[in-house]
Amino acid sequence: MPASSGSFDPVAPESLSEESVAAAVAAALAAITAAADLPALKQVRLDHAGDRSPLALANREIGSLPPSAKADAGKRIGKARGQVRAAMEQRQLVLEQERDEQVLRQEAVDVTMEYHPFGRGGRHPLTTIQERMADIFVAMGYDVVDGPEVESEWHNFDALNLGPDHPARSMQDTFFVESADSGLVLRTHTSPVQIRTMLDRPPPIYMVAPGRVFRTDELDATHTPVFSQIEGLAVDRNITMADLKGTLDHFAEALFGAGLVTRLRPSYFPFTEPSAELDLQCFVCRGASTQDGGAPCRTCSSEGWIEWGGCGMVNPRVLTACGIDPQEYSGFAFGMGLERTLMFRHGITDMRDMVEGDVRFTRPFGLEV
Ligand code: DAH
């Protein structure tokens, strides 16, 4: 016969005894202390505070206690679980802080560390001025064209109306490529790129060709066997010398400053007819040094003008050699030295500085010339 509920007094489960609870707490605290990192602590939480932990299971037993014992056991378990939770939180904070410190240490960038023992180089001013010049023409719709540095004599001389007897072909300033009858030279100017372009495509042609050229000069303050030029060519219907002058004036202004003009002096080149020497108005004194009482000018030697290059109207013989009908088309061409341009533009007095590749020369130019 079942006992009346009033007299029902089950034996308190062992798991709720003071010793068991104390042992569960001690085991939890020991595990918490032993947890070396956050993942380990997570496992400890599951084992000692999770739904299936000894204290959680003990907590469930409270329901089966007689009312008189419930409060007591509830307090004991509550206190024990609180203790474990507090220790867990405490340890969590410590481990989080340890992790953060470790991450900071691992990901630290030592801003005081020497980043590279060698300073960065600089772009050579010849490169930058070449690009700047090309940009000015690109803005006018010109193409930038390349040609070979080892060139055929035909492109370098014959097609440009420099016949076999022309002095420029003599051994004195041309590097010939062996063997003697190879027909190859190191190009002595960028003008053969005109020829290649005209052979390559029909007019209208608007192109510039910056590049290296070679002549048998000794290296000294004013000469170098390897130097650079920029060549320009326009071939179209009705091209006149006025177009040449306007283009060169624009080029001069874009490179040296507003209001500067160029001057053409009659001259001779086999590949142009008529031909002219191209002078640039002095961009420093603008001619003032030639006036009475004007201060002397170092840039133009008080000439008011600076020799800059050569130009002219493309010789009809050159057009014909390239298969272009001179009755239908005309053109202008010009060419100038880049080292010379840099020298007077920046007051460089020794040409060797430009070929030696010393960064102490290059660096002050920065990325702009
Ligand atoms: N090729 C000439 C030289 O090296 C420069 C030159 C003069 C180029 C007149 C030209 C020109 O295109 O029309 O001295």
Side-chain angles (χ1 to χ4, degrees):
M1 192 179 159
S4 77
S5 60
S7 62
F8 175 69
D9 187 8
V11 178
E14 169 56 26
S15 60
L16 283 171
S17 74
E18 264 181 60
E19 297 77 47
S20 297
V21 171
V25 170
L29 294 184
I32 289 169
T33 310
D37 53 25
L38 290 167
L41 187 64
K42 190 173 175 194
Q43 188 57 48
V44 170
R45 181 176 287 112
L46 283 176
D47 295 344
H48 295 275
D51 286 347
R52 309 211 54 80
S53 64
L55 287 175
L57 294 175
N59 190 49
R60 259 186 253 163
E61 300 285 358
I62 293 174
S64 63
L65 293 181
S68 57
K70 273 187 178 162
D72 195 34
K75 243 192 258 169
R76 183 157 57 247
I77 291 292
K79 187 173 160 222
R81 297 181 92 188
Q83 231 181 320
V84 171
R85 205 181 308 118
M88 200 87 75
E89 278 167 16
Q90 186 77 34
R91 186 78 186 133
Q92 175 88 16
L93 288 179
V94 170
L95 291 177
E96 278 176 1
Q97 194 177 343
E98 274 181 20
R99 179 207 51 199
D100 290 351
E101 279 168 9
Q102 192 185 0
V103 168
L104 283 177
R105 231 179 297 121
Q106 280 169 352
E107 296 182 0
V109 175
D110 182 356
V111 292
T112 67
M113 205 160 83
E114 194 173 5
Y115 59 95
H116 199 288
F118 305 104
R120 268 201 248 165
R123 302 190 74 208
H124 198 282
L126 277 173
T127 309
T128 10
I129 200 158
Q130 196 166 298
E131 286 179 2
R132 178 184 272 251
M133 286 173 160
D135 279 352
I136 293 168
F137 283 95
V138 166
M140 289 192 275
Y142 282 58
D143 291 331
V144 181
V145 182
D146 236 356
E149 292 175 357
V150 176
E151 183 57 282
S152 78
E153 287 192 56
W154 186 82
H155 288 93
N156 194 80
F157 296 124
D158 301 78
L160 286 161
N161 197 31
L162 280 137
D165 298 327
H166 196 280
R169 283 178 91 127
S170 80
M171 288 304 235
Q172 270 168 26
D173 52 13
T174 303
F175 281 112
F176 289 86
V177 175
E178 289 188 322
S179 59
D181 59 355
S182 70
L184 295 175
V185 296
L186 298 189
R187 66 178 178 191
T188 58
H189 51 181
T190 43
S191 302
V193 188
Q194 289 185 29
I195 302 300
R196 289 185 172 272
T197 309
M198 287 190 277
L199 289 171
D200 202 47
R201 51 174 111 154
I205 292 169
Y206 292 87
M207 69 100 189
V208 285
R212 244 192 304 254
V213 301
F214 308 83
R215 289 186 200 173
T216 55
D217 285 322
E218 293 293 329
L219 180 64
D220 63 24
T222 51
H223 297 89
T224 150
V226 183
F227 58 105
S228 327
Q229 294 184 333
I230 186 166
E231 191 80 16
L233 173 73
V235 180
D236 205 341
R237 294 193 169 87
N238 304 316
I239 295 279
T240 71
M241 208 136 182
D243 299 312
L244 170 63
K245 180 74 164 75
T247 304
L248 292 172
D249 279 346
H250 173 74
F251 186 31
E253 280 199 306
L255 203 57
F256 290 93
L260 276 169
V261 293
T262 59
R263 178 176 77 173
L264 303 187
R265 276 181 294 121
S267 185
Y268 173 76
F269 297 101
F271 32 91
T272 42
E273 182 58 37
S275 303
E277 297 289 338
L278 164 64
D279 292 345
L280 174 72
Q281 187 184 16
C282 178
F283 56 96
V284 176
C285 73
R286 297 200 176 217
S289 63
T290 63
Q291 309 292 313
D292 281 346
C297 179
R298 265 189 298 160
T299 304
C300 65
S301 309
S302 303
E303 296 280 337
W305 297 94
I306 302 165
E307 285 181 25
W308 197 15
C311 62
M313 300 305 291
V314 181
N315 192 317
R317 296 173 62 119
V318 173
L319 293 176
T320 305
C322 296
I324 294 172
D325 181 358
Q327 300 299 324
E328 191 178 353
Y329 291 103
S330 55
F332 66 70
F334 60 87
M336 63 263 302
L338 298 187
E339 282 79 0
R340 227 190 97 63
T341 306
L342 273 182
M343 283 177 93
F344 64 70
R345 194 167 186 264
H346 296 275
I348 300 164
T349 49
D350 195 326
M351 208 146 198
R352 285 168 290 197
D353 286 337
M354 270 177 289
V355 302
E356 278 170 355
D358 189 328
V359 288
R360 288 172 298 182
F361 168 77
T362 306
R363 212 181 273 131
F365 286 91
L367 299 180
E368 272 297 314
V369 294

